[in-house]
Amino acid sequence: MCRSTVAISAPGKVLLAGGYLVLDRDHTGLVFGLDARLHVHVQQLPTSPSVELSEIIVRSPQFNDAEWRYGYRATEDQGGIEVVQLKGHSTSTQSRNKFVETALAYALSYVSAVSSADFGSTSITIVADTDYYSHPGSNNCPSPTRFVNFNVPLSEAHKTGLGSSAALVTAFTAAVLTHYLDQSQIALNSESGRARLHNIAQAAHCAAQGKVGSGFDVAAAVYGSCVYRRFSSSVLEILGEVGSNGFARRLRAVVEDSHPSNKWDMRIDKSAAVMPHGLTLLMCDVDCGSESVGMAKKVLAWKKENHEEATLLWATLQKGNEDLARELQRLSQGCNSIPQDYKNLSDIILTIRSFIREMSAKAEVPIEPIVQTDLLDACSQIDGVVGGVVPGAGGFDAIALLVRDKAVPSLHEFLRTYSTTSNVESGPAIGQVRLLGVKQEMEGLMMEDPDVYADWMR
């Protein structure tokens, strides 16, 4: 059977407000999609009529030796499809890619549960927009091309913190499902199709991470910018492991939300996430990066040990985050021809930052490290820069800035020669500071023209 070639992209994300709070269903996060996208291209591998191959080849050609070959097999008792990395091929890396491997197993297991598809042999190519990674030698200007060869092993690439793993799992899962299933089984342009994709992508991403996270990054990859309230972790606790008895049946129930008592209960409000005309959300890379998982564990441990104090602080932060979303909505409703006053918006951002630093100090976690404080304060002094935050879990990922369009050239010029003045002996030093060529993106998952990626295919 000849299957169609498909290409799908998913946006990056920035959690502008709600870092750590979004882990708790009592709170929400204001998340914006970013127009830096991660792309997945899927096509059938050509074979001669007398040859049958059962191999799936996954390549990430922007990185050195980034190829993974997988075999697959159907397990007994509706256990789904197990995938096994095939090692020893001259072009393949020997290291695992847990996100690719898990997304592939989950996607194939769901396909096996709803159809009798013959998987055959398939080639999958992953391509990332340039700004997902810091790249040495780049100057302070956005990259002139959408895709570049980073010319390093994937393990040595510096992420900029735009949510590459969630975008990858979402686009990868969507592309595999669309390749093997017809429109009656998964229609990504429909509300039900997007919901099913969201559910399976959340399940695969949590399994790859080894924990049930908040899911705001996958929600943004599917739906785009939104105010997000997380799902109850119990919805995924029934799944078990790929290959266990009944896994495919349980996965289908989770994806299609048909379990009688275990229902998806997240809330995704796209209307509440807006950006006023003339204001742009930009990202400033500091070429460092941090481990958000370890930071989250420390913050949650502090919250557990200091419940009353932490609950009060989180309630105060939640109010500030809601104030931020409301102020952005208010400014969006104004007349585009009348200059806006951003003083209130700036004050709200400064208030949120002060409470974030308080939580950072009490939990002894560098949510807004001093070098990031210096950078944010310096950028905020530029006329037209309304304010900024260290988004999400904080640390040394790219900072987020709200900037009036007229101020972008001045910001570029300022960052060209910026260097921190703080003593950095207590933590990592930030590297080359540059403005990424990304901005807010309201849309989520997109179907793409497969021909766009011709230069990266072989």
Side-chain angles (χ1 to χ4, degrees):
M1 177 181 178
C2 183
R3 302 190 183 280
S4 61
T5 298
V6 300
I8 292 180
S9 71
K13 55 71 187 169
V14 55
L15 184 61
L16 189 66
Y20 299 103
L21 276 70
V22 77
L23 295 168
D24 189 328
R25 268 189 56 77
D26 288 338
H27 304 289
T28 59
L30 173 60
V31 54
F32 282 92
L34 296 171
D35 61 0
R37 289 180 164 267
L38 205 143
H39 309 251
V40 177
H41 177 284
V42 182
Q43 64 181 0
Q44 190 171 345
L45 277 174
T47 59
S48 62
S50 60
V51 177
E52 288 189 14
L53 295 176
S54 299
E55 185 177 51
I56 295 175
I57 302 174
V58 182
R59 297 173 56 249
S60 187
Q62 293 167 291
F63 300 96
N64 298 343
D65 304 318
E67 179 182 283
W68 302 267
R69 291 174 177 253
Y70 298 99
Y72 55 85
R73 72 177 188 90
T75 61
E76 297 178 350
D77 300 319
Q78 299 183 64
I81 305 296
E82 286 187 338
V83 299
V84 178
Q85 185 173 348
L86 306 175
K87 298 184 178 181
H89 195 279
S90 60
T91 62
S92 298
T93 181
Q94 301 305 300
S95 62
R96 288 184 65 192
N97 187 321
K98 60 183 178 180
F99 290 102
V100 164
E101 188 174 315
T102 305
L104 182 60
Y106 273 61
L108 295 183
S109 293
Y110 179 70
V111 171
S112 73
V114 300
S115 77
S116 56
D118 176 14
F119 299 123
S121 290
T122 305
S123 172
I124 303 176
T125 302
I126 302 166
V127 185
D129 282 353
T130 299
D131 286 317
Y132 268 103
Y133 299 89
S134 303
H135 36 104
S138 62
N139 56 23
N140 208 11
C141 298
S143 174
T145 58
R146 185 169 194 178
F147 309 123
V148 300
N149 189 333
F150 296 107
N151 201 32
V152 295
L154 183 57
S155 60
E156 296 179 12
H158 286 185
K159 295 182 179 181
T160 52
L162 306 187
S164 58
S165 66
L168 167 62
V169 168
T170 301
F172 189 99
T173 305
V176 172
L177 294 181
T178 306
H179 179 70
Y180 286 117
L181 298 176
D182 59 39
Q183 282 283 308
S184 65
Q185 295 165 313
I186 186 78
L188 297 182
N189 58 352
S190 70
E191 183 176 342
S192 63
R194 293 262 167 154
R196 291 184 181 189
L197 172 64
H198 167 271
N199 298 347
I200 190 172
Q202 291 282 19
H205 193 241
C206 289
Q209 288 183 313
K211 66 181 183 68
V212 179
S214 69
F216 79 88
D217 43 6
V218 170
V222 176
Y223 294 103
S225 301
C226 61
V227 169
Y228 175 80
R229 189 183 300 275
R230 69 158 302 153
F231 57 89
S232 298
S233 59
S234 59
V235 73
L236 296 179
E237 290 173 354
I238 66 168
L239 271 179
E241 300 288 331
V242 176
S244 61
N245 289 354
F247 173 80
R249 182 182 66 253
R250 293 191 300 274
L251 178 63
R252 181 175 184 176
V254 166
V255 171
E256 298 177 3
D257 202 18
S258 60
H259 194 281
S261 58
N262 237 22
K263 294 293 186 181
W264 288 92
D265 54 1
M266 71 284 173
R267 294 290 181 268
I268 297 169
D269 185 356
K270 286 188 62 62
S271 66
V274 295
M275 190 61 59
H277 177 77
L279 198 65
T280 303
L281 190 158
L282 300 177
M283 303 296 294
C284 181
D285 178 33
V286 298
D287 192 16
C288 188
S290 50
E291 182 55 62
S292 60
V293 175
M295 293 169 62
K297 287 181 178 179
K298 290 189 68 175
V299 170
L300 293 178
W302 164 79
K303 183 174 183 286
K304 184 177 181 180
E305 294 171 3
N306 303 272
H307 179 73
E308 185 174 344
E309 179 183 33
T311 298
L312 180 60
L313 181 55
W314 279 33
T316 305
L317 271 168
Q318 175 67 24
K319 180 182 182 304
N321 297 341
E322 292 172 355
D323 288 345
L324 175 61
R326 278 194 294 267
E327 182 64 8
L328 289 171
Q329 287 182 301
R330 186 189 70 80
L331 291 168
S332 298
Q333 295 166 358
C335 179
N336 293 341
S337 61
I338 300 175
Q340 296 280 14
D341 181 359
Y342 296 105
K343 177 65 167 58
N344 192 43
L345 180 60
S346 179
D347 289 344
I348 291 171
I349 293 171
L350 288 173
T351 300
I352 291 172
R353 283 182 57 200
S354 70
F355 289 120
I356 288 291
R357 287 195 298 273
E358 181 181 343
M359 180 167 66
S360 181
K362 290 181 175 179
E364 297 182 349
V365 174
I367 303 173
E368 188 184 296
I370 184 62
V371 290
Q372 296 280 54
T373 296
D374 287 348
L375 179 59
L376 286 167
D377 290 346
C379 289
S380 298
Q381 295 302 309
I382 299 171
D383 184 31
V385 177
V386 178
V389 298
V390 187
F396 296 89
D397 284 337
I399 65 169
L401 298 169
L402 295 181
V403 184
R404 296 180 66 178
D405 294 345
K406 70 175 186 178
V408 174
S410 299
L411 182 58
H412 271 297
E413 181 61 25
F414 170 76
L415 293 175
R416 188 175 62 83
T417 57
Y418 177 80
S419 62
T420 184
T421 58
S422 292
N423 185 339
V424 296
E425 291 181 1
S426 60
I430 62 176
Q432 168 77 49
V433 179
R434 69 184 181 101
L435 204 60
L436 298 176
V438 300
K439 62 181 185 300
Q440 75 275 1
E441 165 72 85
M442 306 314 291
E443 298 302 317
L445 196 82
M446 288 184 179
M447 301 291 293
E448 302 283 359
D449 178 0
D451 292 338
V452 169
Y453 314 97
D455 291 344
W456 296 93
M457 311 302 296
R458 71 166 190 228

